[in-house]
Amino acid sequence: MKQEFIRNFAIISHIDHGKSTLSDRLMEATKTVSDREKAPQLLDSMGVEQAHGVTVKSRTVQNHYLGNDGHEYQLNLIDTPGHVDFNYEVTKSLSATDGVILLVDATQGVQAQTVANWRLAHDLGLPILPVLNKIDSASAQIEETEQQIIDLDPSLAAQEIYHVSAKTGLGISELLEAIVHELPAPTGDEKAPLKALVFDSEYDAFKGVIAQVRVIDGSLTKGNSLVLMANGQKLLAKEVGVYRPDRVPADGLGAGEVGYVVTGIKDPKQVTVGDTLTSQQAPTKAPLPGYQKSQPVVYAGIYPVGDYKVLQEALQKLALNDTSLVLTDDQSEAMGPGFRAGFLGIFHLQIIKERLETEFGVEVVVTAPNVSYKVQVAQKGKEIETVIVNNPTRFPEFSQVLAVEEPMVQATITTPNESVNALMKLADDYRGEFADMGNQGDYVRLVYKMPLSEIAYDFFNQLKSISHGYASFSTAAIGYQEADLVKVDVQINYATVDALSFVIHRSRVEEQTQKLVHELKMTVPRRLYPMPVQAVVEGRVVARVDVPPLRKNVAVNGSSYSISKKQALLRRQSANKRQAAQSDIELPQAVFNTLLSLN
Ligand code: GDP
Ligand code: MG
């Protein structure tokens, strides 16, 4: 297809503003999917996405649109994930587009993720087509929302803001014309050597790694000998094609087109997103500017409730299609064999846990997440060494610890005026160091230096709730900094439960450990005898409560129980007695959630 008839774009929006519904409407209007195939939210095929209403893995769709000018256009819609944990993935997919639709729910107005996504698109220099959705709703606030969009990006004041209802289809044909006339066509060099951007990849059990590509210059044909420029990996294009929305083989992809290449490569790690694909015979001179590789931000232990092998298989399958999930084997005294996993953020962790449960039927216990620390260790007769610790269990003995460094980020918060004071207090509470402040249109930009551990868990939720969803937040890693951090061990019945250990700042020890033991009192399974639960820091008990014993013979004393219920209760009590005879205590997920709810 001639480039002037191609449009590559993405829809960016806050969660629930109607991105998936609009994608479905566009596919329907261009007959990419027939009515028979119509199912709600075609692109959100993963179970978790349906449950959360969040798109996790991006998908691309080629639509054919007959414009009012009589030309046939190829509209490639590149789907982006909709959550801050996946910003890296959003940037990846945005780099394959030539413009974006900024979709705003007219009943909600501009929200935190609207701002965050707008900023990503803006920073990439992408043209923006503003669109109001849900105008069928009685509570749509059209003028107010338009004003918010212009406040966010004053350059949009000169543009028409389109109005649609993704639900009823109102305004969709006007929007299709706007995509054709207001978003730019690609402008690659068709005659130059092949230069294609790998912006995503998927793993197929039969075909191996399938790379999603945007051809920038030249063209790519089935059977071509290709090379990935970053690592020199050679491959043969076994199959080339497009997504409609399922994979449909084609002869090739021309300059400006988006599609897939079956690489035949079996190891997903060999295909790095952001890499440049070129021809072996006639390579392009310079690769495209690469992406930074995604690095795990938080780590947590994952242990099976049932069979270890089943969990292992499920996690390995998940990791094939999600290269940002990093896995290593782990062995815990309390929990047995399991895995140490690295995630892009807390939301990513939750998604993986849910996919294990819903897609694979594997029940797991996930420990409290942590970041990675650099610890300087001095051992007698040995040189001082620095160890990286991403599992609190492996935190060195305190008497050997010389210094601890934690990862820091530069956090940029953009917020409306009225939330500035409350957000400054929040950043303060999370050990933030104020760095800079300035105005950006109607918004205030606050810059803080913050420990990653403080913002990795629930800072984002707090920020959203304080600012009623208006503040947005972005971070950049700025290396490690020394801090007074200590490891907290938790003992139940005088035995240290390794999987419950965590690392915190010394100034928080008192308050957090008191809170912790009191909450553990409610979640640790009771025994027939009272059991002490204590928090230990540097060999000292800093907090303690007793988990009260189970009441004896509750069933017999309670006259309102039926005979069979009494018997059932008595049976359960004797089962508890057997359990008590064993030294180990079964820890339900609730116990680990207690650690998560600290702060
Ligand atoms: P996403 O999270 O941005 O992908 O949003 P969805 O497409 O999943 O939509 C979120 C909710 O808004 C769903 O319940 C949709 O049915 C609803 N919705 C989407 N578009 C419209 C619209 O134009 N009008 C109304 N009334 N509801 C809509
Ligand atoms: Mg969606």
Side-chain angles (χ1 to χ4, degrees):
M1 165 101 35
K2 272 193 180 161
Q3 290 188 81
E4 64 180 295
F5 301 121
I6 299 174
R7 298 292 179 277
N8 295 317
F9 66 102
I11 304 171
I12 56 174
S13 74
H14 188 75
I15 292 161
D16 284 344
H17 281 201
K19 196 174 71 162
S20 300
T21 312
L22 180 60
S23 306
D24 288 351
R25 256 335 62 71
L26 292 175
M27 284 193 284
E28 233 174 78
T30 52
K31 308 218 164 34
T32 304
V33 288
S34 64
D35 290 348
R36 192 174 50 81
E37 292 172 296
K38 233 191 276 175
Q41 314 230 321
L42 281 160
L43 291 183
D44 291 351
S45 63
M46 282 198 269
V48 187
E49 293 181 1
Q50 300 256 351
H52 277 269
V54 171
T55 307
V56 178
K57 193 83 187 156
S58 17
R59 279 177 188 74
T60 303
V61 192
Q62 185 186 89
N63 304 287
H64 300 168
Y65 170 62
L66 184 63
N68 291 348
D69 57 8
H71 287 297
E72 181 165 310
Y73 289 87
Q74 186 191 104
L75 307 184
N76 296 316
L77 169 56
I78 292 164
D79 199 17
T80 60
H83 193 276
V84 73
D85 269 7
F86 301 98
N87 256 359
Y88 166 74
E89 301 227 333
V90 180
T91 309
K92 248 162 47 173
S93 13
L94 287 183
S95 307
T97 72
D98 300 303
V100 298
I101 290 177
L102 178 70
L103 188 69
V104 183
D105 179 343
T107 70
Q108 301 287 316
V110 168
Q111 299 277 312
Q113 289 292 300
T114 318
V115 180
N117 279 303
W118 167 80
R119 184 157 297 112
L120 291 176
H122 185 258
D123 289 351
L124 288 168
L126 293 169
I128 292 165
L129 188 67
V131 178
L132 295 192
N133 188 30
K134 309 200 187 179
I135 56 156
D136 60 289
S137 166
S139 48
Q141 307 228 303
I142 294 178
E143 280 95 62
E144 290 85 340
T145 309
E146 287 190 337
Q147 192 53 50
Q148 288 173 1
I149 292 175
I150 293 164
D151 289 344
L152 172 67
D153 184 345
S155 75
L156 296 177
Q159 266 176 258
E160 179 168 354
I161 298 180
Y162 290 84
H163 297 177
V164 303
S165 166
K167 191 174 166 190
T168 66
L170 195 71
I172 298 297
S173 44
E174 289 80 358
L175 178 60
L176 283 163
E177 282 297 305
I179 292 169
V180 163
H181 295 292
E182 302 206 17
L183 292 180
T187 54
D189 183 345
E190 286 156 28
K191 300 203 175 65
L194 172 66
K195 182 183 269 190
L197 169 71
V198 178
F199 65 92
D200 207 349
S201 71
E202 56 178 322
Y203 186 82
D204 181 286
F206 300 105
K207 298 186 169 177
V209 180
I210 299 175
Q212 290 194 34
V213 297
R214 153 81 192 260
V215 177
I216 308 289
D217 295 332
S219 62
L220 197 168
T221 314
K222 182 180 167 178
N224 278 171
S225 302
L226 304 173
V227 59
L228 283 159
M229 295 181 84
N231 63 358
Q233 171 77 41
K234 292 182 176 161
L235 62 111
L236 186 75
K238 289 198 165 170
E239 181 186 318
V240 175
V242 296
Y243 294 93
R244 290 192 43 77
D246 294 325
R247 288 194 298 268
V248 177
D251 296 335
L253 296 171
E257 292 193 300
V258 174
Y260 70 88
V261 182
V262 173
T263 63
I265 295 170
K266 292 293 175 200
D267 178 5
K269 292 196 180 61
Q270 294 303 316
V271 182
T272 320
V273 162
D275 205 344
T276 305
L277 196 60
T278 192
S279 152
Q280 281 180 35
Q281 285 85 16
T284 181
K285 280 198 199 83
L288 295 157
Y291 300 102
Q292 283 180 318
K293 206 176 150 28
S294 70
Q295 287 285 343
V297 172
V298 295
Y299 298 83
I302 302 181
Y303 300 97
V305 171
D307 192 353
Y308 168 82
K309 282 262 177 274
V310 178
L311 170 64
Q312 182 181 38
E313 224 170 84
L315 275 174
Q316 281 168 351
K317 280 196 183 137
L318 283 177
L320 284 177
N321 271 314
D322 181 353
T323 42
S324 50
L325 172 67
V326 177
L327 294 173
T328 49
D329 290 329
D330 190 32
Q331 179 76 35
S332 152
E333 278 169 32
M335 311 298 293
F339 295 88
R340 194 80 200 155
F343 305 91
L344 294 178
I346 287 294
F347 185 69
H348 188 206
L349 187 163
Q350 283 166 358
I351 295 271
I352 295 293
K353 181 168 194 267
E354 280 189 42
R355 289 187 67 186
L356 284 170
E357 284 164 3
T358 56
E359 287 172 39
F360 296 90
V362 182
E363 207 190 319
V364 292
V365 170
V366 176
T367 66
N370 60 274
V371 300
S372 76
Y373 298 96
K374 279 187 187 171
V375 186
Q376 266 188 43
V377 187
Q379 277 172 289
K380 253 199 213 117
K382 281 194 194 168
E383 278 190 36
I384 294 171
E385 63 169 337
T386 303
V387 291
I388 306 254
V389 180
N390 62 32
N391 183 350
T393 310
R394 313 245 182 286
F395 206 83
E397 169 66 28
F398 75 93
S399 58
Q400 300 176 350
V401 172
L402 282 183
V404 185
E405 287 176 41
E406 62 180 336
M408 302 294 290
V409 295
Q410 174 166 301
T412 306
I413 301 168
T414 310
T415 174
N417 253 315
E418 51 278 19
S419 313
V420 169
N421 288 337
L423 287 177
M424 288 179 85
K425 173 158 189 330
L426 180 74
D428 223 46
D429 289 346
Y430 281 74
R431 292 198 284 131
E433 259 174 62
F434 177 82
D436 192 19
M437 184 170 178
N439 285 324
Q440 191 165 50
D442 273 8
Y443 287 75
V444 176
R445 196 172 52 87
L446 296 169
V447 183
Y448 276 84
K449 188 173 180 185
M450 296 185 84
L452 175 62
S453 66
E454 296 286 333
I455 56 158
Y457 314 136
D458 77 334
F459 183 79
F460 183 68
N461 289 335
Q462 297 275 347
L463 174 112
K464 262 176 49 168
S465 103
I466 287 174
S467 66
H468 306 289
Y470 285 100
S472 78
F473 176 59
S474 68
T475 59
I478 50 170
Y480 281 71
Q481 178 174 299
E482 194 174 327
D484 193 3
L485 298 166
V486 292
K487 175 192 184 188
V488 181
D489 282 320
V490 177
Q491 295 182 343
I492 299 178
N493 211 17
Y494 303 109
T496 301
V497 182
D498 61 353
L500 286 175
S501 297
F502 60 103
V503 174
I504 61 171
H505 196 261
R506 196 184 296 275
S507 63
R508 296 275 179 80
V509 167
E510 165 86 30
E511 175 208 337
Q512 303 267 341
T513 55
Q514 286 298 337
K515 204 167 146 191
L516 172 71
V517 292
H518 283 99
E519 291 194 18
L520 284 175
K521 189 175 162 183
M522 324 304 275
T523 49
V524 168
R526 293 180 180 194
R527 294 296 169 83
L528 288 173
Y529 45 87
M531 263 190 320
V533 169
Q534 42 196 20
V536 178
V537 171
E538 298 182 341
R540 266 186 328 115
V541 174
V542 291
R544 173 184 165 133
V545 290
D546 283 331
V547 176
L550 283 168
R551 271 196 295 156
K552 279 186 190 136
N553 296 337
V554 268
V556 181
N557 296 339
S559 53
S560 63
Y561 286 104
S562 72
I563 294 295
S564 65
K565 270 194 182 153
K566 273 183 199 168
Q567 282 169 342
L569 264 175
L570 283 171
R571 266 201 303 278
R572 232 180 290 148
Q573 284 184 354
S574 71
N576 276 325
K577 256 180 229 157
R578 276 201 305 278
Q579 220 186 351
Q582 302 164 355
S583 60
D584 62 326
I585 293 161
E586 290 223 351
L587 294 178
Q589 180 67 50
V591 172
F592 293 93
N593 293 347
T594 306
L595 288 176
L596 259 182
S597 65
L598 289 180
N599 264 309

